[in-house]
Amino acid sequence: MSERTYRAIADPTRRAILDRLRQGPANANALAGNFVTSRPAISKHLRILRESGLVIDKPSGRERIYHLNAAPLGEVFGWLGDYRTFWQSSLDQLKRNLEEET
Amino acid sequence: MSTARAIADVTDGVIVATIDIRVPPERVFRALTSEEIIQWWVRPGVFDTREWVGDVRVGGRWRASGIGNGKPYTLEGEFTEVDPPRKLVHTWSPVGPALPPSIVTYTLEQIEGGTRLTLRHSGIVAPAMFENTSVGWEVSLETLVELLSAEAA
């Protein structure tokens, strides 16, 4: 279980950055323009996201372009997937029970 | 829709599922708020809820326990909205690990010939998102993962 991944997505601003990067790569300026959070705070979030592997930065001229790398989220999806299956299976059972009565 | 369709949103930690049931909303609501839960929080061979008690009013608590893959588990929570037969909201926490509670919202809508039940389970977080984890904690969560796993033993 990758603690870095979970920590990275535990923060709403970082999740918002990931959401933004889903639309395409961006540099730090463009990203900061999307948030009221201060530029240094955004840099810190980007560092945590880079360390988690969820964001990859590539140099382009004098700046860095940030890209989304969703691969580490696979683990998180596994965790959520268990809940998904629990509810799907339980709701199907509920339907069978209630409709069999009638 | 004949069977439940559940969707997971990874970034938000949300599960959403909808199912149509050919009984009135009042009947469905009763199944969500009574010991009847032990008849449907069940998947043969994977998890089996054996006990459920609940004080169904805002601020009242519920507790469920059973066996998942041969290991005991307990879940508990608090009712935060009780509006029969339209809406029910309660928190959901595994007993043991110090996780913030997730939130289960059921919405019941009368449709022709029955009820459309929509489930939203939000705020689901993985254990390692939180600091101060301990080994004992990880073990409890592992039990929960197994409990909720669809894979037959």
Side-chain angles (χ1 to χ4, degrees), chain A residues 4-6 8-9 18 21 48-56 67-73:
Chain A
R4 280 186 170 176
T5 310
Y6 293 125
I9 63 168
L18 293 174
L21 289 176
I48 294 169
L49 287 169
R50 273 203 322 271
E51 286 168 1
S52 73
L54 286 166
V55 163
I56 294 169
H67 297 254
L68 178 67
N69 175 36
L73 285 176

Side-chain angles (χ1 to χ4, degrees), chain B residues 97-125:
Chain B
L99 287 172
S102 54
I103 297 166
V104 173
T105 302
Y106 297 104
T107 310
L108 295 78
E109 183 195 348
Q110 181 144 32
I111 54 169
E112 202 184 323
T115 304
R116 175 159 298 164
L117 173 63
T118 303
L119 164 103
R120 184 182 161 84
H121 192 163
S122 64
I124 303 171
V125 289

